[in-house]
Amino acid sequence: MAVHKAGRKAGRVATAVVAAALIGVAASACGPDGGDNGGADKGGKAGESSSAAPESKAPESETPEAKAPEAGGSGAPEAKAPPASGERLAKVPASVKGGVITVGDPKAAHTVKVYEDSRCPFCKKFEEGGAQALVGPVADGKVKIKYTIASFLDNNLGGSGSVNAANALRASVEAGRFPQFHAAVFANQPEEESDDAYTPAFLLKIADKVDGLRGAAFDKAVTNGTYKKWVGEAMKAFTDDGIEGTPTVLIDGKKAAANSLYEQGAFAKELKAAGIS
């Protein structure tokens, strides 16, 4: 298994590379330093990951790029459209409690907890792979997903992209478009983890790809960092839960196998084993 970890000052550490024929990519995670606590492949308990724990440091209180230009400014790249699967969740409710965003019927029998950082490349692989197996069960009311959006990679890599993205994701809940925007944010993740691409201007361009998302309230929240306090609450929830890297996924309280996260069929088997299909 190749274990990816983001260092405290930026960079990547890859160790113990073994072919992963089943899923086509190595099971990996983003974390804040080069230590390896063993995680899933060494019998780690729920909440553990293959990377070391982030410092319990909330994002800076400064407003992220409050004077960034509107979408269409010359500094922001063009955005890609989100995957069509996000539209299946367009009518699914999303709500916020504390630092957690819940998507799906609150009374759903099963709960999947997802811990992510928007700058983490392995979270993108999860969203494009294993997470696709959740779309149907969530749309059908069988599962609710509880997202905890971390922002520790800003501390590791510099910049404010994780904080900016988390703030915008929180704003999209108020606009009633969180599932679609969440998919769009990961679809537009920069190729290099160290690129601080999630500026307010670029996040607004991403929002242009989600029907009905742009509006005065959303745009102001993204540009002015309206939910920066909530971003700190979400990071605190991440550390309080003892999570040590991203992505970490719990299915009804049990940690999903790391080597199931990046391929839809493999993660569907994990869900089926938990009684979800």
Side-chain angles (χ1 to χ4, degrees):
M1 182 183 82
V3 179
H4 166 83
K5 308 173 186 74
R8 292 185 186 276
K9 294 185 179 180
R12 303 180 179 189
V13 178
T15 62
V17 180
V18 179
L22 175 63
I23 61 174
V25 295
S28 308
C30 293
D33 64 27
D36 185 357
N37 77 331
D41 289 332
K42 296 184 181 179
K45 63 185 178 180
E48 289 185 341
S49 176
S50 58
S51 55
E55 298 178 57
S56 56
K57 178 180 178 182
E60 297 295 332
S61 60
E62 297 176 1
T63 300
E65 304 195 28
K67 295 183 180 181
E70 291 290 324
S74 59
E78 293 302 317
K80 304 173 185 176
S85 58
E87 286 302 317
R88 289 195 62 189
L89 302 179
K91 296 182 179 180
V92 172
S95 60
V96 179
K97 184 175 182 180
V100 178
I101 296 172
T102 299
V103 174
D105 185 346
K107 297 180 180 179
H110 299 279
T111 301
V112 174
K113 293 184 177 181
V114 176
Y115 298 85
E116 297 177 320
D117 187 307
S118 299
R119 291 178 73 177
C120 173
F122 300 103
C123 293
K124 175 181 172 70
K125 288 183 179 181
F126 168 66
E127 288 299 330
E128 294 178 344
Q132 296 302 304
L134 283 167
V135 174
V138 172
D140 293 340
K142 299 176 181 178
V143 176
K144 58 183 176 292
I145 306 176
K146 292 183 174 290
Y147 291 98
T148 302
I149 309 297
S151 48
F152 62 85
L153 283 175
D154 285 351
N155 290 332
N156 295 353
L157 304 171
S160 56
S162 292
V163 170
N164 292 342
N167 172 74
L169 286 164
R170 174 63 180 84
S172 73
V173 178
E174 300 304 314
R177 298 291 188 276
F178 174 81
Q180 304 98 305
F181 186 59
H182 176 260
V185 166
F186 280 103
N188 284 278
Q189 187 186 83
E191 291 185 6
E192 292 298 327
E193 183 185 21
S194 59
D195 288 348
D196 189 30
Y198 288 130
T199 63
F202 185 43
L203 288 161
L204 290 175
K205 278 200 170 184
I206 295 173
D208 277 331
K209 301 297 182 179
V210 178
D211 289 344
L213 178 54
R214 291 294 302 275
F218 176 82
D219 290 6
K220 181 178 179 180
V222 173
T223 302
N224 293 343
T226 298
Y227 295 104
K228 62 182 182 294
K229 181 178 179 181
W230 179 86
V231 174
E233 291 178 8
M235 189 64 225
K236 185 176 186 299
F238 182 90
T239 55
D240 285 351
D241 283 356
I243 303 303
E244 299 174 332
T246 56
T248 294
V249 180
L250 308 181
I251 304 173
D252 290 335
K254 181 179 179 181
K255 186 178 179 182
N259 62 1
S260 74
L261 298 181
Y262 307 114
E263 199 275 319
Q264 183 173 346
F267 194 67
K269 291 180 180 179
E270 289 275 302
L271 294 174
K272 186 175 181 179
I276 304 168
S277 58

